[in-house]
Amino acid sequence: MKPAIPALAVLLGLAACDHQNTPSPRPANTATTPESAAGTPADASDSVAFQQLSERMVEDLWQLFPSWAVHEGYYAAADRLQVPDDAYRERVLAFVRDYRRQFGEIDSSGLDANASSDLSLIRNFLDRTEWEITEFRGYQWNPAQYNVSSTFAVILKADYAPLDERLRTFSTRMAKVPDYYAAAEQSLGTPAAPQLALAIQQNEGALSVFDESLEQKLAGSGLDAGEKAQFNRRLEATRSAIRNYIAFLQDRQKELDETRQYRDFRIGEKLYEEKFHYEIQIDMTAEQLYQRALQEKARLHEQMAGLADKLWPEYFPNRQPPQDRLERIAAVLEKLSLHHATKETFKAEVEKQIPELAEFVTRHDLLSLDPGKPLVVRTTPPYMRGFSVASINAPGPYDKGANTYYNVMPTGELGDEQAESFLREYNSYLMQILNIHEAIPGHYTQLVYANRSPSLIKSILGNGAMIEGWAVYAERMMLEAGYGDFSPELWLMYYKWNLRTVTNTILDYEIQVKGIDEDRAMELMVKDAFQQKAEAAGKWRRATLSQVQLTSYFAGYADILALREEMKEQLGENFDLKAFHEQFLSYGSAPVPVIRGLMLEKLDVKS
Ligand code: ZN
Ligand code: ZN
């Protein structure tokens, strides 16, 4: 089972990979010393003052958000559970105002590139945190924000200290659970229906963290009798607090199902634009990006139809093509999907491709790769299984030097029918695109570069649109460079994959702002974007539970492409693709417009 997303991760909207529903890789840092990534002249004293202030802010941040800290691998405040009441929210607002004032006193023109991009992330984070509390107010209508389990689960699983010590931390932390859920009930007004259903489901799942196996662990531990008795009392209180919260939510659900007085899960145009502004951080409104996605969809349909018509006689020598363009494309895509690995060979095929991708990148001079940081391909460990096909597991900011893993779903344990449907979806063509996206030169490569200008701030506040946008950009860039020898089959499958990214943007905007219903959403995905029904149904659910995040892939991708074209124009004959990529990645996971500003500034210095 997938662990519940911690409330704070929801609050901050941690980016998730479209195809895997797990937190996106975030760069790990190894130090906090400022290092000028772009080499712009900087005033050392301003940079030092900035560095000290941002370190102080992170320390205070972890005191205020200890659950978030645990998920970043920082355990010093792990025994504390913050009770989400009005007083707590006031403290968060005071924190925001205090640090906004202090950062306001720093002269940003004196900062180096790394520090000034950190500063823009910090300012955005402070504004956004305030907005979440004063405007968005998810704490009033999203009961799924309240769930204590995932942080407790990390404390049990992460091997950061001996078990006895972790059990003591666990025990102290449990003491606040009844107050936590009491505050949750008090904070909630009228919930939205999908969030209410999710809260019931995930809090039922939460009970598994506090089951009998925990009692066995305690019994076998070195805690003394008094500590054990106290632990068990707190454990009982924790279980009943969770059960009471579930009962409270079920009562609300019964009542709201009858009265139909649910809050609309659609947040509407104003909140959507604001959330887009804070979360995506590109120089475009959500409405403008939506218009752009509509144009892109039309363009992709055009390209796909051309390829499908070209491939038709080869794949259907005895069949007349249907009149409908979308039907022709769908038929060819279906045929291509039959080209796939077996459940026994899937992981080996993925593994084999990684060095091939690296070799291609090097031979075509697209980027320099660091051979000292190998990527370890492994079967997804049991506790992480459930949703992701493939994902990058990078060491956290406080976990220096750990391996980076490429987790691949264990296909061997799937039933035959399930395996067939999975293998068709991740067929031989799509598997290559997936490996480009996740590994080389996508997420994994971006991460290696981000770690060269270590920044704790970018590691914890990094921009999701830049991270996802880079991985989506990498797919296209590789194919443009001739990966796959311009095979029309690979391009057609790539367009289908890319169309999904574009459709995510259209879907999210049309649901949240324009109010379309499930039927229209399904048509958009199944008919216009060639998605499987099961996949589309899952996406509909996700789009009712989150807002804006689904646009991050296309937003970042479109912005990076536009920046590349702008740099080409600026540099003319001197434009070099490899230099562009390396410079772009050297600033870490900052918003694309911030990187753009730094790149243009450097051009001015040169000329
Ligand atoms: Zn991704
Ligand atoms: Zn098959």
Side-chain angles (χ1 to χ4, degrees), residues 301 345-346 400 410 445 465 542 577:
H301 276 168
T345 60
F346 188 76
K400 323 178 172 191
T445 304
R542 178 171 162 193
L577 189 61

Side-chain angles (χ1 to χ4, degrees), residues 337-338 340 420 424:
S337 302
L338 300 177
H340 59 70
E420 178 64 21
R424 281 189 191 184

Side-chain angles (χ1 to χ4, degrees), residues 391-494:
S391 61
I392 293 289
N393 197 213
Y398 293 98
D399 193 12
K400 323 178 172 191
N403 277 333
T404 300
Y405 292 102
Y406 189 15
N407 299 318
V408 181
M409 188 169 120
T411 44
E413 52 187 44
L414 294 176
D416 283 347
E417 206 172 306
Q418 228 187 334
E420 178 64 21
S421 135
F422 170 83
L423 293 165
R424 281 189 191 184
E425 179 67 21
Y426 292 93
N427 57 68
S428 307
Y429 304 106
L430 203 65
M431 183 204 274
Q432 300 175 59
I433 312 284
L434 179 68
N435 288 332
I436 292 171
H437 179 106
E438 294 293 340
I440 295 170
H443 287 316
Y444 162 70
T445 304
Q446 191 257 322
L447 187 74
V448 174
Y449 271 84
N451 286 345
R452 289 189 192 159
S453 59
S455 151
L456 183 57
I457 292 300
K458 287 192 196 71
S459 178
I460 60 178
L461 304 177
N463 176 254
M466 183 274 178
I467 293 170
E468 285 306 336
W470 170 263
V472 176
Y473 166 78
E475 300 160 7
R476 181 186 173 113
M477 183 269 286
M478 287 288 277
L479 265 64
E480 283 177 343
Y483 178 79
D485 270 339
F486 301 99
S487 132
E489 285 92 343
L490 185 61
W491 272 94
L492 182 58
M493 200 57 83
Y494 160 72

Side-chain angles (χ1 to χ4, degrees), residues 53-220:
L53 183 58
S54 64
E55 277 169 28
R56 209 156 61 231
M57 187 197 76
V58 172
E59 282 300 315
D60 285 349
L61 191 66
W62 293 155
Q63 296 306 314
L64 206 48
F65 300 107
S67 303
W68 181 13
V70 166
H71 288 273
E72 298 287 353
Y74 178 94
Y75 302 102
D79 62 351
R80 290 177 38 201
L81 175 66
Q82 294 286 4
V83 172
D85 55 12
D86 281 338
Y88 173 62
R89 286 184 284 273
E90 279 307 321
R91 288 215 310 285
V92 175
L93 290 175
F95 164 91
V96 165
R97 284 190 287 266
D98 180 26
Y99 277 100
R100 189 188 280 143
R101 184 185 53 75
Q102 293 194 61
F103 280 106
E105 285 163 8
I106 285 186
D107 176 14
S108 58
S109 65
L111 298 179
D112 64 33
N114 197 14
S116 73
S117 49
D118 276 5
L119 181 60
S120 76
L121 286 170
I122 290 171
R123 287 190 171 139
N124 182 70
F125 165 71
L126 294 172
D127 291 347
R128 175 178 174 177
T129 303
E130 181 180 53
W131 173 84
E132 302 251 2
I133 293 176
T134 60
E135 302 291 325
F136 192 68
R137 297 186 216 179
Y139 64 91
Q140 290 179 345
W141 58 270
N142 179 6
Q145 273 197 5
Y146 305 110
N147 188 329
V148 294
S149 65
S150 69
T151 310
F152 281 103
V154 173
I155 293 169
L156 274 190
K157 258 179 216 141
D159 222 358
Y160 69 93
L163 178 65
D164 287 358
E165 196 183 308
R166 285 183 285 125
L167 285 172
R168 288 188 184 103
T169 299
F170 197 102
S171 183
T172 309
R173 191 168 224 280
M174 275 197 298
K176 282 282 177 64
V177 172
D179 290 350
Y180 175 98
Y181 281 107
E185 290 185 20
Q186 207 138 63
S187 300
L188 282 169
T190 307
Q195 280 75 8
L196 178 56
L198 181 71
I200 293 170
Q201 184 201 333
Q202 290 190 333
N203 274 283
E204 278 167 350
L207 286 167
S208 71
V209 175
F210 304 96
D211 66 6
E212 297 78 45
S213 66
L214 178 58
E215 286 166 67
Q216 284 158 18
K217 232 178 211 155
L218 178 72

